[in-house]
Amino acid sequence: MTCHDDYTDGAASQPSPARSLYVVGVDESAAAAGALRWAIDKAEATDGEVYAVFVYHARTVLAPPRSPYVPAEVPAETLEQQTALVDARDIVQRALGDAPTPGRVEIAAVAGDPRHTLVELSRGSDALVLGASHRVGLAARVLGSTAAACAANASCPVMIVPEGWSPADAAGRRARAGADALLDA
């Protein structure tokens, strides 16, 4: 099952970067949706690929004791990963709406801490793309910032995309800048 015709679903393994590769951290936020749109726009311009990663916190649950004669159930980790992948597909679909998806977008759900997982998955990529989160007060001081941790530890450039960014806005700014340059000449 795919969100759009040209999506491919991924597991925890990273695609082989034959082209430019943009790893994007996705979640339910509007800022993450902007980051995904930025990465897709950049991948289209560079004939690259987008690896949209939804990092979730795994809940380790001990299985109840069972009789050896009862068939084994699907492990809770597998069900949790499948549910997270469905959530990731939904997040990507909502972020893109009805817009066509140029290039290749791979969607993955990975259990772990977002700061460590995204840094690890971005190794060898052209950029790690994240949405700007605007936490304030105690939450920002206690929890820290995923974007700040990734920027400090990533081995590739980290792009922080502001909430509400869209390719149409960027194209309009580029067109206005081009027109201003012509007027100045």
Side-chain angles (χ1 to χ4, degrees):
M1 180 174 132
T2 58
C3 298
H4 292 282
D5 293 336
D6 50 354
Y7 284 171
T8 58
D9 294 327
S13 65
Q14 189 174 1
S16 60
R19 310 176 189 176
S20 296
L21 176 63
Y22 302 94
V23 175
V24 184
V26 296
D27 60 19
E28 299 277 343
S29 71
L36 180 62
R37 288 190 298 270
W38 184 91
I40 289 172
D41 188 55
K42 186 57 89 171
E44 179 183 42
T46 61
D47 192 32
E49 300 177 12
V50 174
Y51 188 55
V53 182
F54 175 65
V55 182
Y56 65 97
H57 294 285
R59 293 185 269 308
T60 305
V61 179
L62 296 175
R66 62 179 185 84
S67 166
Y69 301 106
V70 176
E73 295 179 15
V74 176
E77 297 84 23
T78 303
L79 292 174
E80 189 174 25
Q81 206 270 335
Q82 290 171 350
T83 300
L85 186 56
V86 168
D87 291 345
R89 290 181 195 145
D90 290 344
I91 288 168
V92 170
Q93 186 172 11
R94 281 193 310 272
L96 299 178
D98 295 331
T101 309
R104 182 171 172 222
V105 177
E106 186 168 343
I107 304 168
V110 181
D113 177 84
R115 294 168 293 196
H116 301 117
T117 304
L118 291 170
V119 166
E120 187 62 34
L121 290 173
S122 70
R123 292 191 198 288
S125 69
D126 292 282
L128 173 58
V129 186
L130 304 167
S133 175
H134 299 291
R135 280 197 192 127
V136 294
L138 183 61
R141 285 187 219 114
V142 173
L143 299 175
S145 168
T146 299
C150 288
N153 296 297
S155 59
C156 65
V158 178
M159 177 67 180
I160 310 297
V161 179
E163 187 173 325
W165 183 91
S166 73
D169 294 341
R173 284 191 294 278
R174 285 191 295 266
R176 284 192 302 275
D180 291 344
L182 289 175
L183 292 175
D184 291 340

